[in-house]
Amino acid sequence: MKYNNSIRNIYIPLIIAVSVCAGLIAGIFLPGNDSRISKSSIRTKNDKIPTMLNIIQSRYVDSVDINNLEETGILAILKKLDPHSTYIRAKDLKRANEPLQGNFDGIGITFNLLTDTILVIGTIPGGPSEKAGLMPGDKIIYVNDSLVAGKGISDEAAMAMLKGPRGTVVKLKILRKGANDLLTFEITRGKIPLHTIDIAYMVNETTGFIKINNFAVTTYDEFMTGLKSLKEKGMNSLIVDLRGNPGGVMETAIRIANQFIEKGKLIVYTQGRAFPKTEARSTGDGLFEKGDLVLLIDEYTASASEILAGAIQDNDRGTIIGRRSFGKGLVQEPFVFSDGSGLRLTVARYYTPSGRSIQKPYNQGSEKYYEEFIERLNSSELFVQDSSSLKNLPEFTTAGGRKLYGEGGIIPDIFVPLDTSGISPYFVAVRESLIYRFALDYTENNRNILKAFSDPYELEKYLDKQNLLPKFVQYAESKGIKKDEKGLKISGKVIEIQLKAYIARNILDNAGFYPIWEKLDTTLQYAIKYLAGKKSG
């Protein structure tokens, strides 16, 4: 494809990001039934390292930061183990645990900083900000008497100012459209849920769609709420989207797999040097043990997500559609040190029901491990299914006798390449921020009209009449991107659909975004047609 290099330039940063994410949050084993981070205490058998640090602290020629030296040593040791054993500094541990716990302490807003102002996109229903009266479209000018507007504040800095211990108060001064003066709010921070189910909705009269963005302690309850609501709407086929899901709490993935698999079937087993073989089997009380099932995966699907996909594939319960997954089959156990820092140590491997480990080799070190992932994609794996890459992988079979492969991620049953048909140099030039920025501006300028819509399809019908694409082209020209007729011929429809989807998200959150974005999602479209074909067949 002509624009493959441009496509890779777009996706490689995301790939690196998910690689880091996979190292931090995927495949966590929470000991016992307690969802809290373990505070295991293990007696050391060799005191050379602490003794050496004590000698350096008391005798070294220059003064040194002994804590920094200690952490450097820990990182060097872990580098010799595997790519997913991780040390987390005390200042970062709470935030690192939030995706696993499924909540954090804050004021409960979603915001955007594209305009160099903290613009409130939405408030969490029932959260502190909604209760205090904050509204979408409000601009935060001061936080605790500190001016934040026009200061080039980063996302992380903004979050640090707004988040804080539950029960503490943050004072905000807000600029609201139509108000003559700044409005002052004192908001008491509270427990804010991190939703791990992006959406559960019907893509047609009989097929439901659930997207899981990661596996937290709270994910199972969220998933069951979505699954029950879809069954009430007449669902008899289900698509579960695991694309981009880096994993998380293993037990959650097992509980969700249990909803699909009949009684007594193996879901996964784990085994490590200090951990005897432990099996997880289905209990037979699943809510969707019958009915057509499809799981969507891609190169970002990792760890706990691969446990779920492997259980479905190995038991011949459903069809895996998409592209080869990341390939992380290691399980970490968390430990907390007395100074508040933490260790996530690989303690076991997990194996799918057929006995395969999907963990890709890491014997050449962490750098080579992640470089291999980039090389995989540079070999056109996103665009072409290359069977030659499977030659050296160990073979396994499903319960029904189908051939499978280990040590390289989950290979989908049906390969769907990354769609680049709507990509042009013009699209590459405007996609970085202009599409979303225009959608944000359009939302703010038309919020009074747009907020009247509660149905995404009705909102889309309205937006179809608003000549969004010509308005966007003019907007892009004002930002220095010249109109490109050839580029618009290739990418115009893609840009228009993205504009509508982002505007709908600004008004209706994910319930507005996904039903419109669905038109651009070739993997999802393939899955919908595949299920329709099974019914007609």
Side-chain angles (χ1 to χ4, degrees), residues 1-3 419-428 469 484-496 520:
M1 184 71 192
K2 185 176 180 181
Y3 302 113
D419 181 19
T420 62
S421 59
I423 306 300
S424 67
Y426 181 77
F427 177 80
V428 173
L469 186 59
D484 178 356
E485 292 289 357
K486 184 179 177 182
L488 285 166
K489 189 173 182 180
I490 296 169
S491 306
K493 194 65 179 175
V494 172
I495 293 171
E496 186 176 22
L520 297 175

Side-chain angles (χ1 to χ4, degrees), residues 155-370:
D155 282 337
E156 287 202 356
M159 283 190 284
M161 296 180 82
L162 297 173
K163 290 167 69 173
R166 202 176 312 173
T168 58
V169 175
V170 60
K171 186 170 75 172
L172 306 179
K173 290 185 179 179
I174 300 295
L175 177 63
R176 178 172 292 171
K177 201 169 185 176
N180 295 325
D181 300 310
L182 295 180
L183 306 178
T184 300
F185 294 85
E186 290 192 354
I187 302 175
T188 302
R189 296 181 177 100
K191 181 179 177 180
I192 309 300
L194 281 172
H195 294 295
T196 57
I197 303 297
D198 281 348
I199 193 168
Y201 79 107
M202 298 293 290
V203 296
N204 56 39
E205 290 182 356
T206 59
T207 304
F209 174 85
I210 301 178
K211 181 167 180 59
I212 310 174
N213 62 52
N214 75 280
F215 290 93
V217 173
T218 56
T219 304
Y220 176 76
D221 289 339
E222 287 184 61
F223 181 84
M224 293 305 294
T225 298
L227 187 62
K228 289 173 184 175
S229 72
L230 294 179
K231 284 183 70 74
E232 289 169 0
K233 292 173 183 175
M235 175 192 73
N236 54 41
S237 297
L238 176 62
I239 300 169
V240 177
D241 190 351
L242 299 175
R243 291 172 297 173
N245 186 324
V249 179
M250 187 174 72
E251 180 63 25
T252 301
I254 293 170
R255 294 180 72 192
I256 290 175
N258 186 58
Q259 296 304 308
F260 304 126
I261 301 172
E262 63 184 27
K263 186 175 181 178
K265 299 292 185 181
L266 184 60
I267 293 174
V268 68
Y269 69 89
T270 57
Q271 194 166 10
R273 182 182 59 82
F275 283 79
K277 182 178 179 180
T278 304
E279 294 184 346
R281 290 186 175 270
S282 51
T283 59
D285 56 358
L287 199 61
F288 197 73
E289 292 179 14
K290 305 293 182 183
D292 291 329
L293 176 65
V294 164
L295 267 60
L296 307 182
I297 66 170
D298 66 6
E299 54 279 358
Y300 306 104
T301 303
S303 201
S305 296
E306 293 170 299
I307 289 175
L308 176 53
I312 298 304
Q313 189 176 52
D314 287 26
N315 283 294
D316 295 301
R317 172 59 187 93
T319 305
I320 311 299
I321 295 177
R323 297 185 292 277
R324 179 154 66 120
S325 65
F326 182 84
K328 178 183 181 290
L330 302 176
V331 183
Q332 285 72 51
E333 182 178 1
F335 301 86
V336 176
F337 298 121
S338 58
D339 67 348
S341 60
L343 170 67
R344 290 177 180 171
L345 183 69
T346 296
V347 295
R349 287 180 172 83
Y350 73 75
Y351 299 85
T352 68
S354 66
R356 52 181 176 147
S357 167
I358 56 85
Q359 175 62 47
K360 60 182 184 174
Y362 55 86
N363 54 356
Q364 295 187 42
S366 296
E367 288 183 14
K368 283 287 185 184
Y369 179 79
Y370 289 116

Side-chain angles (χ1 to χ4, degrees), residues 107-118:
I107 65 170
I109 64 169
T110 55
F111 65 87
N112 186 277
L113 279 171
L114 280 178
T115 57
D116 202 16
T117 304
I118 303 175

